[in-house]
Amino acid sequence: MIADLLSRLEPADVFYDIGGYIGSYTCLAAAALPEGQVITFEPREPKAARIEANLARNNLAADVRHEALSNESGEASLSVNEVAQLSTTGTEQVSLRIGDKLVERGDVPPPTVVKIDVEGAELDTITGLEETLSRPDCRLVYCEVHPTFLSDYDASEDDVRVALRKYGFSVKTLHNRGAEYFIRGEKQ
């Protein structure tokens, strides 16, 4: 998945890492895009701090935004054990933002390549980026689909694929990893 993404990046791309976790994709994309931009969305403060530390450790630059992209703005509680897949339990309050509104206001540039890993909130994230993903210059979307968590967000695997197709992407499964799998949406 990472190799496929890196092989398709172009020098001036704007890459969104939605659900940055600890910054693996962020750091690799930042290294591959010295002329481009990398914007990471990671709402959990400890994880966002880790991304920033990993960027600094590797002398790389990216805009790390401490917010989640969704189809509504506000606050939400994320289950720490479900989202982070840790043995600890509890919740963390996070900020939700509509991606289209951030682009519209000029808070972030529109992306050309997007990676989404949001533990079941895939459809909410995608629909909050409807206008942005529909732009002709947004040519690639990589999404990790989490079938076991999608129902928590009143969504299905088919909903994710249908939304991407609606915004102009052909969709292909790239890699299965247990119950989760990666898809790539690509515009011709």
Side-chain angles (χ1 to χ4, degrees):
M1 193 357 239
I2 292 173
D4 188 86
L5 185 150
L6 292 173
S7 73
R8 292 168 181 268
L9 290 177
E10 297 175 3
D13 272 332
V14 175
F15 175 72
Y16 281 14
D17 185 356
I18 304 172
Y21 193 57
I22 61 169
S24 299
Y25 287 87
T26 297
C27 288
L28 291 168
L33 295 174
E35 300 168 36
Q37 285 184 273
V38 177
I39 296 107
T40 302
F41 298 88
E42 177 50 63
R44 295 163 291 160
E45 292 300 324
K47 299 300 179 199
R50 198 153 167 209
I51 294 169
E52 290 165 342
N54 285 335
L55 286 164
R57 198 173 293 122
N58 290 287
N59 200 27
L60 297 168
D63 178 6
V64 181
R65 300 186 59 95
H66 300 220
E67 55 201 359
L69 294 187
S70 187
N71 59 353
E72 59 185 38
S73 290
E75 302 294 314
S77 293
L78 293 182
S79 173
V80 173
N81 63 334
E82 185 173 280
V83 173
Q85 298 177 340
L86 301 172
S87 58
T88 59
T89 59
T91 60
E92 183 178 342
Q93 284 296 116
V94 300
S95 296
L96 299 178
R97 299 291 176 259
I98 300 169
D100 280 341
K101 298 294 182 196
L102 294 174
V103 171
E104 182 181 301
R105 287 194 310 256
D107 294 344
V108 293
T112 54
V113 180
V114 176
K115 183 278 268 170
I116 301 169
D117 184 358
V118 291
E119 309 294 322
E122 294 89 330
L123 185 63
D124 289 352
T125 300
I126 290 167
T127 57
L129 284 163
E130 176 179 1
E131 293 172 26
T132 301
L133 295 177
S134 295
R135 296 169 63 110
D137 53 338
C138 184
R139 67 179 197 287
L140 288 168
V141 174
Y142 292 86
C143 183
E144 184 169 4
V145 180
H146 298 267
T148 55
F149 297 145
L150 279 166
S151 62
D152 295 343
Y153 296 87
D154 297 321
S156 71
E157 297 170 63
D158 284 340
D159 293 337
V160 172
R161 291 175 179 274
V162 166
L164 288 172
R165 286 187 188 112
K166 177 181 170 186
Y167 306 150
F169 296 93
S170 61
V171 180
K172 176 182 178 182
T173 300
L174 289 182
H175 176 72
N176 290 306
R177 188 179 75 187
E180 293 88 27
Y181 59 93
F182 289 95
I183 59 175
R184 180 182 65 220
E186 184 172 16
K187 290 182 183 166
Q188 301 306 328

